[in-house]
Amino acid sequence: MKNNTFMREIQTRHLIMIAFGGAMGTGLFVGSGGSIHQAGALGTLIAYCVASVIVYSVMLSLGELSSAFPHTGSFGDYAHRFISPSAGYVIFWMYWLNWVATVAVEYTAIALLLNPWFPDVNIYVWVALCAVAIFVLNVFTVKLFAEGEFIVSFIKVFAVMIFLILGSISIIYNIYLHGFSFTFANFYTANNNSWFPNGLTAVFMTILAVNFAFTGTEVIGVAVGETKDPRNAMPKAIRATLMRIIIFFIGSVFIIATFVSSNDARITESPFVTTLQVIRLPFLEGELPYIPDIMRFILVVALFSTANSGLYASTRMVWGLAQKKMYPSIFARLNKKGIPIYALLMTMLFSLLPFFFELGIYICLQFFPELSAYINNKSIEHMMESLITVSGFTMMIVWASISYCQYVFRKQYLASGKKLEDLAYVTPFTPYIQIIGILGCIISMIGVYFDEKERIAIWGTLIYIALCYIVYFATKHKFAKEQ
């Protein structure tokens, strides 16, 4: 480490796997069950296709920005530079909140996945162990984080490939045995012989949750600041990951929706495991031996990977704020290993707040068991849904800011007399691709408002944004003087 700057120890192979690792988490492996339950098989597939268009357009814009400005504070830095310092401040905190909420969801999802294997072990024990392990991966060197993420991301990518292969074989086998109508019955007879069991509105309500599933793809925009040769690494990572992620997501959801009805899908159970318990393959009688348990283990690894990426990314947001003299200077300090240790500790603490809340409920029930009629697994399910709403809503604001900043950058770049061919990566179809990205994000945020039980999460997030602006204007000169 030199001059309190990051060590550039992340390589292109790490960057590619970080993109995979950040995206394939609870949103896909667990949250897709909740989406199918709400929107039905066809509705969820439509929602994933819409979300794919949104994430594709945003990532194309991110490719140009991050190649031109490979900073670790990326998203907040872009908003600071191309919108306003106050907008940059808010985007920093939006992205931080997104990942703090996501990491909290990952802790709980991992504990729920392990619970069937160890029913006598309290889920809070697993949450604590998971948090400690993720902290260790992030606290020593960024190379350890990158190598750890590379390994676990490779495992999850390989697992999804096997899932796609087994699912595809089973679909073909089902068509051979029973025909198209029986095989794809979930798509048009999910509930009361309806294409959309809860109406078309449920599809719009689901888009935000589905966008949450793609959250993490943009982490490479943060990691590029600690990457060797970022000018060349970022375009390679964008090209290598984007279409593959979309194919993996839509392919997986199509297979799940084929085998798991909307009535059987839940956010607290992984539809991947459920699917592997019901699919049938040629020459095999009954369910696949050991495969569901193997997938359960892989999903634990996958969610651990996403939490790992989330803690990394959110920590860098706090560091970025302090680096821009918008937050106490102590959070800009790096240890000898090049880790923003104080920013890491602060983020870790906040990611555990929902865990402490759940633990408080658990302790309360030990003394007042009569409250169990009001506080049960549904409470955990609702908390997960609310955290996903908060994370998805804040992420849409960040994504929209990326698209807008790229448009402003391109306009300023050309106005200065520079040529597009001098850029390491050029976003195609400007400004149309940015319009698609921004409109898609707005539609996603409006859609979730139709879900009455999640409105409180939306209003809470809007209050959080207002507080961010108030704090910025109240402190914008304070921290600059201290540093």
Side-chain angles (χ1 to χ4, degrees):
M1 183 186 68
K2 247 170 127 177
N3 298 325
N4 206 42
T5 57
F6 286 112
M7 299 177 178
R8 292 187 176 270
E9 296 183 319
I10 298 179
Q11 301 173 15
T12 302
R13 66 182 178 89
H14 295 141
L15 202 61
I16 291 172
M17 279 301 177
I18 286 171
F20 275 121
M24 292 184 182
T26 299
L28 175 64
F29 293 128
V30 180
S32 52
S35 298
I36 292 172
H37 180 70
Q38 184 178 53
L42 181 61
T44 301
L45 202 58
I46 292 172
Y48 266 87
C49 289
V50 172
S52 296
V53 174
I54 297 171
V55 71
Y56 189 79
S57 62
V58 172
M59 288 296 289
L60 288 178
S61 295
L62 178 61
E64 183 171 305
L65 280 173
S66 57
S67 298
F69 306 100
H71 303 309
T72 297
S74 59
F75 314 123
D77 182 72
Y78 305 150
H80 184 280
R81 185 188 298 257
F82 297 112
I83 303 177
S84 70
S86 61
Y89 181 86
V90 172
I91 292 299
F92 270 117
W93 284 120
M94 286 291 97
Y95 195 63
W96 177 84
L97 177 62
N98 158 70
W99 272 117
V100 167
T102 301
V103 172
V105 171
E106 307 298 328
Y107 292 153
T108 306
I110 290 171
L112 290 172
L113 279 170
L114 289 171
N115 188 248
W117 283 341
F118 307 97
D120 297 329
V121 178
N122 195 292
I123 64 170
Y124 307 113
V125 174
W126 296 121
V127 170
L129 291 175
C130 176
V132 170
I134 290 170
F135 181 77
V136 168
L137 278 177
N138 278 269
V139 79
F140 288 108
T141 66
V142 72
K143 188 173 183 180
L144 177 62
F145 158 79
E147 288 294 349
E149 191 60 22
F150 179 85
I151 293 169
V152 293
S153 293
F154 179 82
I155 292 172
K156 78 166 77 172
V157 169
F158 179 75
V160 173
M161 288 177 63
I162 297 299
F163 179 82
L164 291 173
I165 292 170
L166 293 177
S168 299
I169 292 172
S170 184
I171 287 175
I172 294 171
Y173 185 51
N174 269 16
I175 292 173
Y176 170 73
L177 291 178
H178 308 292
F180 281 91
S181 296
F182 178 88
T183 303
F184 300 111
N186 285 342
F187 285 91
Y188 54 88
T189 60
N191 188 10
N192 299 324
N193 296 322
S194 171
W195 291 98
F196 307 106
N198 294 308
L200 191 59
T201 304
V203 179
F204 290 98
M205 291 162 52
T206 303
I207 292 176
L208 185 69
V210 172
N211 277 326
F212 168 79
F214 283 102
T215 297
T217 314
E218 78 295 323
V219 169
I220 54 176
V222 180
V224 72
E226 297 176 70
T227 302
K228 294 179 179 178
D229 192 17
R231 185 176 173 84
N232 293 319
M234 188 62 181
K236 287 180 182 178
I238 292 286
R239 297 187 189 103
T241 62
L242 200 49
M243 284 306 299
R244 295 177 195 178
I245 287 175
I246 290 172
I247 291 170
F248 275 30
F249 274 55
I250 293 179
S252 297
V253 170
F254 175 73
I255 290 171
I256 291 168
T258 301
F259 291 102
V260 181
S261 71
S262 61
N263 291 327
D264 296 329
R266 292 289 185 276
I267 195 172
T268 52
E269 300 171 7
S270 173
F272 279 74
V273 176
T274 305
T275 300
L276 290 171
Q277 289 173 334
V278 300
I279 66 173
R280 299 293 178 263
L281 297 177
F283 314 116
L284 279 176
E285 294 185 5
E287 71 176 50
L288 302 176
Y290 308 112
I291 293 295
D293 282 332
I294 293 172
M295 177 56 75
R296 187 181 295 276
F297 170 76
I298 290 171
L299 292 182
V300 169
V301 174
L303 301 188
F304 181 87
S305 164
T306 305
N308 189 36
S309 294
L311 187 61
Y312 167 85
S314 50
T315 296
R316 269 56 184 179
M317 292 302 104
V318 177
W319 174 88
L321 277 166
Q323 192 71 358
K324 285 195 169 297
K325 301 180 180 180
M326 296 178 177
Y327 208 54
S329 59
I330 190 173
F331 293 101
R333 293 180 191 172
L334 307 181
N335 63 14
K336 293 180 180 179
K337 300 292 186 180
I339 302 298
I341 185 66
Y342 296 105
L344 177 62
L345 288 169
M346 172 191 156
T347 302
M348 190 76 199
L349 176 63
F350 275 91
S351 73
L352 287 170
L353 286 181
F355 159 68
F356 292 137
F357 175 73
E358 290 180 25
L359 185 59
I361 291 176
Y362 172 76
I363 294 172
C364 183
L365 289 176
Q366 304 308 302
F367 291 99
F368 305 101
E370 62 273 12
L371 294 177
S372 60
Y374 307 98
I375 304 173
N376 47 37
N377 220 31
K378 286 287 182 183
S379 299
I380 294 177
E381 182 176 333
H382 181 61
M383 188 198 72
M384 289 181 68
E385 289 174 343
S386 295
L387 287 172
I388 286 174
T389 299
V390 170
S391 178
F393 192 82
T394 54
M395 195 69 255
M396 291 305 95
I397 295 173
V398 174
W399 280 5
S401 75
I402 292 171
S403 295
Y404 180 74
C405 288
Q406 189 274 330
Y407 170 75
V408 175
F409 162 68
R410 175 72 69 84
K411 193 174 180 181
Q412 292 179 358
Y413 185 84
L414 293 177
S416 67
K418 297 178 181 178
K419 299 179 180 179
L420 288 181
E421 51 264 32
D422 294 332
L423 291 171
Y425 184 88
V426 177
T427 302
F429 310 117
T430 297
Y432 306 108
I433 207 75
Q434 290 74 39
I435 293 172
I436 292 172
I438 293 170
L439 286 180
C441 291
I442 292 173
I443 291 171
S444 299
M445 290 187 285
I446 292 174
V448 77
Y449 195 75
F450 288 102
D451 190 344
E452 292 184 6
K453 68 179 185 296
E454 296 305 327
R455 285 180 186 173
I456 188 171
I458 297 300
W459 281 109
T461 306
L462 292 174
I463 292 171
Y464 174 84
I465 294 172
L467 288 174
C468 285
Y469 271 107
I470 292 170
V471 172
Y472 169 76
F473 287 109
T475 63
K476 65 178 181 177
H477 299 302
K478 174 180 172 59
F479 300 123
K481 292 176 182 178
E482 290 179 357
Q483 299 182 59

